[in-house]
Amino acid sequence: MNLRTTGRATAAALLSIALLPATLVSAGVAQAKTPEPTPKLTVGEQTDDPQKVREYWTAERVSRALANEKKDQAAFSKRAAAGTRSEGRAPVKQVLPAQSRTAVSSKTLTSLSTASATSVPEMPYAQPVPFPQSQPAVVVGKILFTDKEGKDHGCSGSSIVTANNNTVWTAGHCIHPGDGTGAEGFYQDILFIPGFKKNELDPKGYDAPWGEWAAKGKVAPTSWTADGDVLWADMAAFTVTAPPEYTNLTDTVGALGYNFGSGPDWSDIINSGFPGEGYQRTDMDGYTQFYCTGNAEDANPYLFIDERLKFDCDMGHGASGGPMATPEGQIVGTNSHGEGDDPNTTTVPILYSSAHADNAIEVINAVGALS
C-alpha cells in the first residue's frame, strides 16, 4: 500500500470474530459545516472478460505485483506528504467537502452471537489475522491491478454493504492514479481475492478459496481522479462479477457496513490489510492478512480543512485500501498513506485515511446503484 506508516490467543480470536458483527449501529453525527456543492464523481467500467482477467494473474505476475506495491507505492506516500502541507495546496473549496450529512448502513449481516465485546485492546504492532480463510476475516481481500503502463500492482480492499451485493471498498489510488486522466485513467485487470494466501503448490502461487472476483463498474471522487486529493478523496469502490460457482459477493463472504460523515475520532478501530512490508518488520510479504487495533483520531485537530483519520499501526505498503472499521463492522476510513516514507521502506508506524465525509457518501450511493 501507500503507507507507512501482543496480543494473546483469546484476544486474537475475539478480534477475528469482531471483524464482521451481527448488526451495524449508528454513531453520533459530527457538527455540520457550511454546505459545499455536491462532490462530482468519475465512473468507469472494466469491460474485459472476467475469465480473462482471472487467467491474466499468473504466479509470476502476482509475485511482480507484490514486489511493485512496495517500491512503486512508496512514491505515493511522498506525494501524499506533499499534498498535506500548506504550501501548494489547492484552494479550500476544492479540498473541503461539506461534512453536513451522514450515511450509515443498517443492514443486518451474518449473525455472530459471540461477538459481544464492546471494546478491543490497543495493538499497534500488527498481528496475522487468525483463520484468514474463514468468515469473518474473508470480508477483507487482496486487490490486484495493472496500471496504464502495464505494470502489475497490489492493494487491499473489503466487501461493503450495497443494494447490488457485489461491491468492494478501497483507496482511490488502488484503482486510479489521481492524475487528471478521468474515466480513461482507471486501472485494468482489477481482481478482488477473499481468503488470499500464499500457496506454492498451486500453479498460480496463491489460494483463492472464495473465488476470484473481477471488477466491473468503478467509482471514485473527481477530486481524487483529477487532483489526487489525499485530505478528502483517496477512496473508491468497484462492483464485481461473480465467478461461475457463486451468486454474489455479500452472500459468499459477508460485507462490512459503513458510517460516513461522522468525523475522524473513533474508539476501538480494527484495521486490516495485506502489507508487503512494515515499520521495522521482516515478516510481511503481501500474501498474509494482518490487523492492528486502537483508536483513530483527527490527524490535525487545529486545522478544519484536514480531518484525515490518524491510526497507530506498523503495517506498510500493500495494506492500502484496507478498512478502518468499528467493532460493529462499519467502515469509517480506508488506509491511504503514511508519514515520512523514504522511497524504499516505511519509516514511521502511522497510517492515515482521507476524511470519509461527503465524497464517501457520494461514492457509496453511486456504486450501490450499479448492477
Side-chain angles (χ1 to χ4, degrees), residues 107-294:
K107 182 174 180 179
T108 300
L109 303 177
T110 305
S111 177
L112 294 172
S113 59
T114 54
S116 57
T118 57
S119 64
V120 294
E122 290 191 32
M123 189 179 72
Y125 184 84
Q127 294 294 302
V129 169
F131 313 111
Q133 295 184 321
S134 301
Q135 293 177 325
V138 292
V139 75
V140 180
K142 191 73 179 183
I143 294 174
L144 302 172
F145 63 91
T146 59
D147 66 19
K148 60 184 178 182
E149 297 177 350
K151 294 181 179 179
D152 303 316
H153 302 261
C155 263
S156 302
S158 55
S159 174
I160 190 169
V161 169
T162 58
N164 59 45
N165 293 322
N166 272 317
T167 298
V168 175
W169 191 264
T170 188
H173 70 259
C174 293
I175 70 170
H176 194 287
D179 60 354
T181 52
E184 298 300 317
F186 279 112
Y187 296 141
Q188 298 299 317
D189 303 307
I190 299 174
L191 197 66
F192 178 67
I193 311 172
F196 181 79
K197 187 178 180 181
K198 190 170 187 176
N199 182 356
E200 295 178 348
L201 299 180
D202 190 282
K204 301 192 78 168
Y206 63 84
D207 287 335
W210 298 88
E212 298 168 296
W213 302 73
K216 188 178 178 184
K218 311 167 191 176
V219 182
T222 298
S223 52
W224 172 257
T225 61
D227 304 316
D229 177 3
V230 298
L231 297 182
W232 297 91
D234 189 13
M235 64 203 68
F238 58 89
T239 60
V240 292
T241 300
E245 62 271 33
Y246 297 97
T247 55
N248 63 67
L249 184 61
T250 298
D251 288 345
T252 301
V253 301
L256 293 174
Y258 50 87
N259 190 330
F260 298 155
S262 293
D265 294 302
W266 298 87
S267 300
D268 303 324
I269 293 299
I270 303 166
N271 186 335
S272 53
F274 288 80
E277 54 86 52
Y279 176 69
Q280 298 183 350
R281 300 291 291 262
T282 60
D283 56 340
M284 296 175 173
D285 57 5
Y287 287 96
T288 305
Q289 187 183 162
F290 281 79
Y291 74 106
C292 291
T293 58

Side-chain angles (χ1 to χ4, degrees), residues 11-56:
L14 179 61
L15 291 168
S16 175
I17 290 172
L19 188 59
L20 181 63
T23 19
L24 305 174
V25 207
S26 171
V29 178
Q31 183 176 358
K33 293 187 175 71
T34 303
E36 293 284 338
T38 299
K40 295 181 180 179
L41 300 174
T42 304
V43 180
E45 186 174 9
Q46 182 164 289
T47 58
D48 292 341
D49 183 333
Q51 183 56 33
K52 289 184 178 179
V53 174
R54 290 188 283 267
E55 292 172 353
Y56 173 83

